[in-house]
Amino acid sequence: MKRVLLLGGYGGFGGRIARRVAEAGWEVLVAGRSLDRAKAFCRGKEGMRAVPAGPLPEVLATERPFAVIDAAGPFQSAGYGVAAAAIEAGCHYLDIADGRGFVAGIHALDCAARARGVAVISGGSSVPALSGAVARKLAAGMDEVESVEMAISASIAGSGGASVVRAVLSYAGKPIRLWRGGRWSRGFGWDEMRRQDFTAEGAAPIRGRLVALADVPDLELLPQRLRGTVSVSFRAGTDVALHNVAMWLLARLARRSWFGRLDRFAPLLTRAHRIGRGSDRSGMIVRLFGRKGGRPLERRWTLVAEDGHGPEIPTLAIPILLERLEAQTITPGARDAGETLHLEEFEPAFSGLRVMHEAKELAVTPPLYRRVLGDSFHALPPAVQRMHDVLRDRGATGRGSVTRGRHPIARLVARAMRFPAEGQHALHVHFEARGGVERWTRSFGQHKFSSSLSQLGDLLVERFGLLKFGFRLEGDEDGLRMRISRWWLGPARLPLFLAPRSDAREWEEQGRFWFDVPISLPAVGMVVHYRGWLEQPDPNHVNS
């Protein structure tokens, strides 16, 4: 009987892995910080034996396991000492890490692993092993992918362990590197909280779970692996809203430097999780937005786990990987688990659980400018069409020049509207589409200002705070023109003769998108005039 050494083998996830691996016919050597707890866990369980956790090289030399499985965590600030010891001992290494830097950096051990003829695989858990398998399945056959949005809402009964809490605290309130709008940008851990539904055939829907930004390996890996200008987001949470809100508040306070290291709150939060009253239901969703044959679409995979089986999901990949290693279908070397397994390989494990999952393809709302312009959209120059063909998340970069009006009222209005300073600027525009509404964030150098755009009948409506402007669009092969035909302050419609004047134009020149936006006021004159050009990343490019 082949044996494996399982570190953290009596913990919440480690204990489940120990049971699954033993049921698959392996001898499981259970180790952890306490030998007594390891012995108590193994007592009466067939195929399990407690061993000391260290010194690790001595344990490996004595027991000579086929593989080392690290389920101890948290991995966010861990080094590669365990993996290096496994390589030196000539045995395979697996872990259930979800630390972004840890998993993405495991390739540093590739040469050493190849030289010893062993495999080192990091992230054999819900992320990135399962999430990566789902994303690749959904992306199959797509011409390009524009956005991947993922979320996990776990039952509090299986997500409140000390390692999980410490992992969340390691990034709560701290900057998170995100690929958005066609470039790397910044979010913050446990921020941008929103509600998420999880629905799968055969299960009662899970409605309105709170989830917030989490820092996981997929944020680093998927933009490099899927074809297109792929924005990626990942949110997580539990089934107890109060816990999520408390963590969000703690993260907000940490952003303002009200606290030092948040990990000092780990014991308190762990106890709070244990006394929380949640459900026995968990959910996972992966939404992929892209194009196939020029047609925009969404592909969605959703999982709902009942009867407390949600915490089993992070443990499913390890037995599959062991089986593959034993069959010698995984080559030596160090890699993350995001490209190692296929979704179909999880099916036998799903069938033994109270887990319902489904994949579906959905039609999506056409982009905003397509809806407003109708057939005229297709007459626009290609560069103008591409700029406004926003499915979910896009970006463009270029150069812009800004001229400000000299009248005191013009200066006051420009300041109130947060228009950029006069001069030449590097320019980036981030386009986000949600629920038929687009949000444009324009970055002229370090200065940002945003507006939201929506449809009202045959008008395009742009909102800056309480002010809204209705534009009549005219499109043909020469480009696009936008003229103000209505305006509002809040819900009140204002007289048109008092409205700002703007005859904005967009066109294509030498394959590039160009724009010219003059804004003036009656009796005041020019307020601001910005013009320039933008280019979008090649949709066939794989981001790096």
Side-chain angles (χ1 to χ4, degrees):
M1 179 185 294
K2 289 187 176 180
R3 63 172 62 115
V4 296
L5 174 64
L6 178 56
L7 304 178
Y10 52 79
F13 294 130
R16 292 179 171 89
I17 291 173
R19 173 178 53 80
R20 288 186 170 277
V21 173
E23 289 175 353
W26 297 78
E27 180 186 4
V28 183
L29 309 178
V30 176
R33 294 181 177 89
S34 169
L35 182 57
D36 289 339
R37 290 183 64 186
K39 289 179 178 178
F41 175 82
C42 293
R43 192 171 297 124
K45 295 183 175 70
E46 186 176 351
M48 299 186 197
R49 174 163 60 91
V51 298
L56 185 56
E58 295 181 13
V59 176
L60 295 176
T62 301
E63 301 293 347
R64 303 183 65 82
F66 175 77
V68 175
I69 305 168
D70 191 350
F75 294 89
Q76 275 69 15
S77 59
Y80 297 126
V82 174
I87 294 172
E88 182 65 25
C91 56
H92 302 295
Y93 168 87
L94 305 172
D95 65 43
I96 59 169
D98 61 358
R100 178 176 180 171
F102 185 95
V103 175
I106 198 70
H107 299 272
L109 302 178
D110 187 61
C111 290
R114 288 176 182 272
R116 290 290 286 162
V118 298
V120 171
I121 305 174
S122 185
S125 187
S126 299
V127 294
L130 176 57
S131 56
V134 172
R136 285 183 286 112
K137 180 73 172 181
L138 296 179
M142 299 279 275
D143 301 327
E144 62 170 306
V145 178
E146 188 167 297
S147 181
V148 180
E149 301 171 9
M150 297 175 283
I152 291 178
S153 177
S155 166
I156 195 68
S159 61
S163 292
V164 174
V165 172
R166 288 186 180 277
V168 173
L169 290 176
S170 72
Y171 59 76
K174 295 181 180 179
I176 294 179
R177 189 169 176 253
L178 298 171
W179 185 269
R180 285 176 168 173
R183 67 175 184 176
W184 287 108
S185 60
R186 186 177 69 168
F188 289 90
W190 220 258
D191 197 8
E192 301 182 29
M193 184 172 285
R194 63 181 56 169
R195 294 193 178 275
Q196 178 66 58
D197 297 338
F198 303 86
T199 59
E201 186 176 356
I206 297 175
R207 299 291 189 190
R209 291 276 183 90
L210 289 175
V211 290
L213 282 181
D215 197 16
V216 298
D218 304 76
L219 301 179
E220 192 76 25
L221 302 174
L222 287 181
Q224 305 172 41
R225 293 178 173 170
L226 300 179
R227 183 170 297 280
T229 55
V230 189
S231 75
V232 181
S233 67
F234 188 97
R235 288 176 170 82
T238 72
D239 56 348
V240 179
L242 181 60
H243 292 166
N244 296 316
V245 172
M247 184 65 75
W248 173 84
L249 180 60
L250 193 62
R252 298 288 289 187
L253 294 174
R255 278 182 61 182
R256 287 159 176 76
S257 302
W258 284 33
F259 300 116
R261 293 175 58 88
L262 290 182
D263 55 6
R264 59 178 152 164
F265 295 98
L268 175 63
L269 291 172
T270 301
R271 288 194 294 272
H273 275 216
R274 288 171 179 165
I275 64 175
R277 295 187 61 185
S279 70
D280 61 356
R281 311 183 73 213
S282 301
M284 178 175 178
I285 188 169
V286 180
R287 303 177 69 189
L288 184 146
F289 297 84
R291 293 169 179 79
K292 181 178 181 181
R295 180 171 64 95
L297 54 86
E298 175 190 350
R299 289 178 177 171
R300 180 186 302 179
W301 182 88
T302 312
L303 176 148
V304 174
E306 310 272 10
D307 299 341
H309 286 185
E312 296 289 340
I313 304 302
T315 73
L316 301 183
I318 292 297
I320 302 171
L321 290 167
L322 281 175
E323 182 181 351
R324 292 273 306 276
L325 287 170
E326 186 181 25
Q328 299 182 2
T329 60
I330 296 178
T331 58
R335 58 183 66 84
D336 65 83
E339 290 188 306
T340 306
L341 299 179
H342 298 284
L343 184 57
E344 290 76 12
E345 295 180 87
F346 288 89
E347 291 292 345
F350 287 153
S351 65
L353 299 171
R354 280 279 292 152
V355 166
M356 282 61 70
H357 63 97
E358 68 173 17
K360 59 174 66 173
E361 184 172 293
L362 305 170
V364 297
T365 303
L368 175 61
Y369 277 69
R370 282 180 181 261
R371 302 198 309 271
V372 177
L373 281 165
D375 292 338
S376 298
F377 182 86
H378 302 288
L380 295 173
V384 179
Q385 289 190 44
R386 286 195 301 271
M387 194 61 61
H388 292 298
D389 196 21
V390 181
L391 175 58
R392 198 71 173 177
D393 184 290
R394 281 207 167 184
T397 57
R399 297 288 300 179
S401 65
V402 179
T403 306
R404 288 265 198 122
R406 298 293 181 258
H407 194 285
I409 294 178
R411 291 177 180 273
L412 182 64
V413 171
R415 187 178 301 113
M417 298 294 289
R418 301 190 71 246
F419 289 135
E422 186 165 309
Q424 301 287 326
H425 303 274
L427 175 61
H428 180 268
V429 183
H430 181 191
F431 309 92
E432 298 176 273
R434 299 288 187 277
V437 177
E438 291 185 9
R439 182 170 182 81
W440 291 19
T441 301
R442 307 162 182 88
S443 299
F444 285 81
Q446 297 301 310
H447 180 89
K448 291 184 180 181
F449 72 104
S450 300
S451 62
S452 63
L453 294 87
S454 58
Q455 181 180 13
L456 179 64
D458 59 353
L459 296 181
L460 178 79
V461 177
E462 185 167 19
R463 180 173 64 84
F464 296 87
L466 292 176
L467 284 173
K468 296 187 296 184
F469 302 92
F471 291 92
R472 190 78 59 188
L473 304 186
E474 301 173 7
D476 56 29
E477 64 275 6
D478 293 326
L480 179 67
R481 301 186 82 97
M482 303 171 57
R483 294 187 174 91
I484 294 177
S485 63
R486 296 183 198 175
W487 71 313
W488 301 262
L489 178 62
R493 185 171 173 179
L494 302 177
L496 187 59
F497 74 90
L498 294 176
R501 306 291 190 259
S502 179
D503 183 9
R505 295 189 307 119
E506 299 175 356
W507 69 97
E508 179 177 331
E509 189 174 317
Q510 296 181 337
R512 232 176 218 175
F513 171 88
W514 287 80
F515 63 90
D516 186 277
V517 183
I519 301 174
S520 62
L521 286 172
V524 171
M526 182 179 66
V527 175
V528 69
H529 188 174
Y530 54 95
R531 70 201 88 184
W533 57 268
L534 290 166
E535 288 182 330
Q536 291 182 320
D538 181 357
N540 295 314
H541 176 64
V542 177
N543 306 309
S544 60

